Amino acid sequence: MTGLFGRWFQRRPPVEDRVWADTGASAAGLRRQVVQALAAGSAVLLVRTRTDRENLAHELAARAPLVGGDRFATDDLRRHLRTPAALGVACVDDLRDTGATTASGNPAPLQVHVLGRGPRRGDDRRLADLLDRWAPGVIVFHHSLDDALLRTHAGKLQPLLHKLGLRPDEAITSPFLTRAIERAQRP
């Protein structure tokens, strides 16, 4: 649907936010979820910062990840992620819109995992719009209470999480949490 109201009614992939106790737990949880998704046959795209991209690709070398090196490698990355249990690692700057929708040409379910959200809501929406053509099943943002976006609320949340008995290797996830994080971002 296009036109004036097309953007309002456009179906976007579901977005989840997972908040971990600290940065180490976030990284370990992310790796664990990626391995589980690959074992289930899903293709996984990890979106990280440029320095984290290289470190993560090295850590997951046994899974033969295709590492996006620049914006011109996007087509190769998209083709790679059509294979079940394929792993791709890229940073946001590596991704570009190639114009072709892959919903019918992507036999493997695709999960996108992103390390943290940016300070601006619009940046994450642009990323979701860009990845929409890749036909992801879900986009998951991973955070820790150490992140700049959540740091102001960490003092209130940590005692509550401790009382609830949440282990450091468990993530908090909820649609209410996702909306609260989006409201905390600047427009």
Side-chain angles (χ1 to χ4, degrees):
M1 179 183 276
T2 59
L4 180 63
F5 298 106
R7 203 156 170 85
W8 289 351
F9 299 109
Q10 179 181 11
R11 186 190 168 282
R12 287 198 171 112
V15 174
E16 296 177 8
D17 284 276
R18 298 194 181 183
V19 178
W20 305 84
D22 57 32
T23 306
S26 176
L30 173 65
R31 280 191 297 276
R32 190 171 49 252
Q33 289 183 353
V34 165
V35 170
Q36 288 172 352
L38 292 172
S42 293
V44 177
L45 172 63
L46 295 171
V47 180
R48 304 288 293 253
T49 62
R50 196 165 297 283
T51 55
D52 287 340
R53 176 189 67 190
E54 304 302 327
N55 295 337
L56 189 61
H58 181 69
E59 289 175 23
L60 295 169
R63 302 276 179 186
L66 181 63
V67 179
D70 58 26
R71 295 177 62 109
F72 300 107
T74 301
D75 292 330
D76 294 336
L77 190 57
R78 285 177 74 170
R79 275 192 295 277
H80 177 70
L81 292 173
R82 289 184 184 136
T83 308
L87 176 61
V89 181
C91 68
V92 176
D93 297 337
D94 295 341
L95 304 175
R96 66 180 175 87
D97 188 357
T98 59
T101 304
T102 62
S104 61
N106 193 359
L110 177 62
Q111 291 186 17
V112 177
H113 293 268
V114 184
L115 181 65
R117 284 184 177 261
R120 296 182 48 138
R121 195 175 321 139
D123 295 340
D124 293 336
R125 286 194 179 146
R126 276 190 290 284
L127 176 64
D129 288 344
L130 174 79
L131 291 172
D132 188 39
R133 293 193 180 262
W134 295 47
V138 66
I139 298 174
V140 182
F141 289 94
H142 295 267
H143 310 274
S144 73
L145 291 175
D146 303 334
D147 291 351
L149 197 58
L150 300 174
R151 199 172 298 138
T152 57
H153 304 290
K156 298 173 193 169
L157 287 174
Q158 283 179 333
L160 177 64
L161 299 178
H162 184 67
K163 275 186 180 180
L164 293 173
L166 194 69
R167 296 187 320 259
D169 62 340
E170 289 181 296
I172 307 165
T173 182
S174 165
F176 299 114
L177 178 67
T178 297
R179 285 194 292 278
I181 290 172
E182 287 174 349
R183 280 192 308 269
Q185 293 176 304
R186 290 180 303 204

